[in-house]
C-alpha cells in the first residue's frame, strides 16, 4: 500500500480507558490464534499451544504472553505480545526479547501496541533485564516502524543466514 | 548535504506545525545560506510536505503527515539511496568478482534502505525530545541539573 506522506494527520484516537492487559489464559487461545492468522496470513495453533504450555514452567519461567482486551471476555481480545528473557545466547547478557506483537488491523494507531510494549518492558525489568531486543523482518515496515517509534535503535548484532537446500 | 538540510527543515517545521518559519531562521540555526535552504524548501514544497506563505509574517509550514513521512521519503527527493540496479555488477558481461561484490554492496543498500524507511518524522521528533529531556534531567556531579544545550 503506497504511503501518502502528504495525507493530513488524523486525530489520534487514544486507547480505550477500558483496555486491560493481562497474561494469556487457556480460554484466550482461539482468539489469539485467529488474530495472528488475520495479521500474518498463517494459522499456527500448535505454535501457540506450545507457547502457552511453556509459560511459567520450570523450563521457561520468564516467557510472557500478554493480551490486551476491552471489556471482559476472550471475545474482545484486541492484541497480544510475546516475549521472553534470555541470557548468554549469541553472547548476549540478560535481556528481554519480543518475538511477536499483533494488534487487530482495524484498531491500529490507537496506542494498543504501545500499551503492550510498555507492559512487557515492565515484565522484563522485573525479571532483571535492562535491555529489550527484537528481530523483525526488514521488509515489515509496519512492525519495524512501530519498534522505532518506541525508541528502539539498531543493536550490536547482525542477522546472517545461509540456504541449506 | 541537501538531504540533511531537508531533514533538519522538516524537523524544525514539524515540531512547530502551527507557526510559519522563515528560511533565514532555519538557516541561522544550522549555519547555511538562505539561498541554499530556499531551494531545498522549494523541493519539499513540490513534494507536498511544506507550504509557503509570502509577505510579512510569512514563511514555511509543515503540511505533511509526521507518522507517514519517513527519512527515506525526504532523502529520495534529493538523491538515490543505494546503487541503481542493472548497472555495474548487475550488467551483462559483469565478472564473477563484480557480481559477488555487488551482492555485498546490495546488502548494505538494503539495510540502509530499510533503516531510513522505518524511521518516521514523528519518531525523529520523539527521539530529539527524549534526548533533550534526558539532558535536562541528567544531574551533574555536584547535584545540580545540567542545562539543555540545543
Amino acid at each position: 500500500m503506497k504511503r501518502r506522506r502528504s495525507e493530513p494527520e488524523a486525530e489520534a484516537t487514544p486507547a480505550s480507558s477500558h483496555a486491560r492487559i493481562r497474561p494469556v489464559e487457556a480460554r484466550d487461545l482461539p482468539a489469539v490464534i485467529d488474530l495472528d492468522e488475520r495479521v500474518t496470513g498463517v494459522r499456527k495453533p500448535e505454535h501457540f499451544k506450545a507457547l502457552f504450555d511453556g509459560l511459567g514452567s520450570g523450563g521457561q519461567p520468564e516467557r510472557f504472553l500478554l493480551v490486551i482486551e476491552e471489556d471482559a471476555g476472550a471475545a474482545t481480545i484486541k492484541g497480544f505480545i510475546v516475549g521472553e528473557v534470555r541470557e548468554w545466547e549469541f553472547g548476549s547478557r540478560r535481556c528481554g526479547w519480543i518475538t511477536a506483537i499483533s494488534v487487530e488491523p482495524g484498531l491500529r494507531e490507537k496506542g494498543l501496541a504501545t500499551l503492550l510494549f510498555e507492559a512487557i518492558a515492565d515484565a522484563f525489568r522485573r525479571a532483571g533485564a535492562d535491555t529489550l531486543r527484537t528481530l523483525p523482518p526488514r521488509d515489515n515496515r509496519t512492525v519495524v516502524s512501530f519498534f522505532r517509534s518506541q525508541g528502539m535503535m539498531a543493536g550490536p548484532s547482525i542477522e546472517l543466514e545461509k540456504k541449506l537446500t | 548535504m541537501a538531504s540533511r538540510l531537508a531533514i533538519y527543515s522538516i524537523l524544525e517545521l514539524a515540531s512547530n506545525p502551527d507557526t510559519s518559519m522563515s528560511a533565514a531562521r532555519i538557516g541561522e540555526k544550522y549555519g547555511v545560506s538562505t539561498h541554499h535552504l530556499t531551494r531545498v524548501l522549494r523541493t519539499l514544497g513540490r513534494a507536498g510536505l511544506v507550504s509557503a506563505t509570502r509577505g510579512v509574517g510569512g514563511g514555511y509550514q509543515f503540511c505533511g503527515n509526521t507518522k507517514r513521512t519517513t527519512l527515506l521519503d525526504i532523502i529520495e527527493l534529493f538523491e538515490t539511496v543505494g546503487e541503481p540496479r542493472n548497472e555495474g555488477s548487475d550488467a551483462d558481461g559483469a565478472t564473477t568478482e563484480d557480481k559477488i561484490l555487488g551482492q555485498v554492496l546490495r546488502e548494505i543498500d538494503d539495510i540502509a534502505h530499510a533503516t531510513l524507511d522505518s524511521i518516521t518524522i514523528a519518531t525523529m521528533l520523539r527521539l530529539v525530545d527524549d534526548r533533550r529531556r534526558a539532558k535536562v534531567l541528567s544531574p551533574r556531579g555536584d547535584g545540580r541539573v545540567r542545562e539543555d544545550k540545543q
Side-chain angles (χ1 to χ4, degrees), chain A residues 3-10 12 109 118 138 141 144-146 148-151 153 158 160, chain B residues 47-49 63-70 73 77 110-111 114-115 117-119 123 126-127:
Chain A
R3 270 191 315 282
R4 292 165 64 181
R5 58 181 180 230
S6 59
E7 189 177 273
E9 303 242 12
E109 297 194 20
E118 290 171 352
R138 191 189 303 161
R141 189 179 163 274
V144 177
S145 289
F146 167 73
R148 291 280 191 184
S149 75
Q150 301 303 307
M153 303 290 276
I158 184 169
L160 299 173
Chain B
L49 290 171
C63 58
N65 187 319
T66 58
K67 292 181 181 178
R68 295 276 183 271
T69 306
T70 67
D73 288 331
L77 295 173
D110 288 347
I111 291 172
T115 300
D117 201 30
S118 71
I119 302 175
T123 293
R126 179 176 168 163
L127 290 172

Side-chain angles (χ1 to χ4, degrees), chain A residues 50-95:
Chain A
L51 262 180
F52 179 78
D53 289 342
L55 292 174
S57 69
Q60 297 286 352
E62 293 166 328
R63 176 179 286 175
F64 307 95
L65 202 173
L66 308 178
V67 296
I68 188 165
E69 61 179 2
E70 291 182 323
D71 304 322
T76 58
I77 286 176
K78 305 303 180 186
F80 67 87
I81 192 166
V82 185
E84 61 185 88
V85 176
R86 298 178 185 167
E87 202 164 17
W88 299 124
E89 289 183 359
F90 308 110
S92 168
R93 292 188 176 277
R94 191 172 184 76
C95 72

Side-chain angles (χ1 to χ4, degrees), chain B residues 2-34:
Chain B
S3 303
R4 187 180 289 258
L5 284 181
I7 292 169
Y8 292 156
S9 299
I10 291 289
L11 291 176
E12 289 297 324
L13 297 173
S15 63
N16 299 283
D18 298 326
T19 56
S20 288
M21 199 177 294
S22 67
R25 188 169 154 198
I26 298 172
E28 188 183 339
K29 179 172 178 178
Y30 295 100
V32 297
S33 73
T34 304

Side-chain angles (χ1 to χ4, degrees), chain A residues 78-154:
Chain A
K78 305 303 180 186
F80 67 87
I81 192 166
V82 185
E84 61 185 88
V85 176
R86 298 178 185 167
E87 202 164 17
W88 299 124
E89 289 183 359
F90 308 110
S92 168
R93 292 188 176 277
R94 191 172 184 76
C95 72
W97 283 85
I98 292 177
T99 56
I101 181 168
S102 281
V103 171
E104 189 66 57
L107 294 177
R108 290 180 184 164
E109 297 194 20
K110 296 184 187 304
L112 297 181
T114 296
L115 291 174
L116 284 166
F117 182 94
E118 290 171 352
I120 208 164
D122 283 342
F124 289 160
R125 283 189 201 95
R126 287 193 297 272
D130 63 3
T131 301
L132 187 159
R133 294 196 170 117
T134 189
L135 196 61
R138 191 189 303 161
D139 60 359
N140 191 332
R141 189 179 163 274
T142 299
V143 170
V144 177
S145 289
F146 167 73
F147 285 126
R148 291 280 191 184
S149 75
Q150 301 303 307
M152 297 189 79
M153 303 290 276

